[in-house]
Amino acid sequence: MRLALAEAEQAPLTGDVPVGAVVLSADGTTVLARARNEREATGDPTGHAEILAIRRAAAATGQWRLTGCTLVVTLEPCTMCAGAIVQSRLDRVVYAATDAKAGAAGSLWDLVRDRRLNHRPEVISGVLPAPASALLTHFFRTAGP
């Protein structure tokens, strides 16, 4: 989570919301990919940290199935990111802060564990939520109108 937090800290430099993500290998010892939000930096509406980290991990492994891998992210994934998590076959999602307005991994929705879907990763929430929440709070309090 500390690596994801380090990514999140860099996002506001481009005007992006401070969210960071890391994908770990199946054995949990190798970082396959890391990313931060880049929507403002790239003008890409899909430029969420989770999407970018998943894309980069797939490129690093040479396959779209990330079976056995873990996504670590500083904010609960939204519906778009939750869909990508399910589609990429990640085994586990670990997140820090919950997102009561758009979270899709247990708070507002629980898309990643929906029994109607063919893949349901394990979800671990509340890992280092205070620093992740502090980054988000500071960003939104200091952001312009």
Side-chain angles (χ1 to χ4, degrees), residues 99-116:
D99 186 348
K101 293 182 180 180
S107 62
L108 187 58
W109 295 288
D110 200 355
L111 181 66
V112 295
R113 292 180 287 200
D114 189 317
R115 293 203 172 279
R116 295 169 292 184

Side-chain angles (χ1 to χ4, degrees), residues 28-94:
T29 61
T30 304
V31 174
L32 297 175
R34 57 179 74 198
R36 65 183 72 95
N37 275 1
E38 295 182 10
R39 289 190 329 173
E40 299 297 330
T42 62
D44 179 358
T46 68
H48 288 203
E50 301 96 308
I51 299 291
L52 298 172
I54 289 168
R55 286 179 186 159
R56 292 170 187 167
T61 62
Q63 53 189 341
W64 65 267
R65 286 183 189 90
L66 297 175
T67 305
C69 296
T70 299
L71 173 71
V72 179
V73 62
T74 60
L75 181 64
E76 180 182 0
C78 69
T79 54
M80 175 180 69
C81 295
I85 289 163
V86 170
Q87 292 300 316
S88 65
R89 308 301 194 266
L90 284 158
D91 273 17
R92 187 173 305 100
V93 179
V94 178

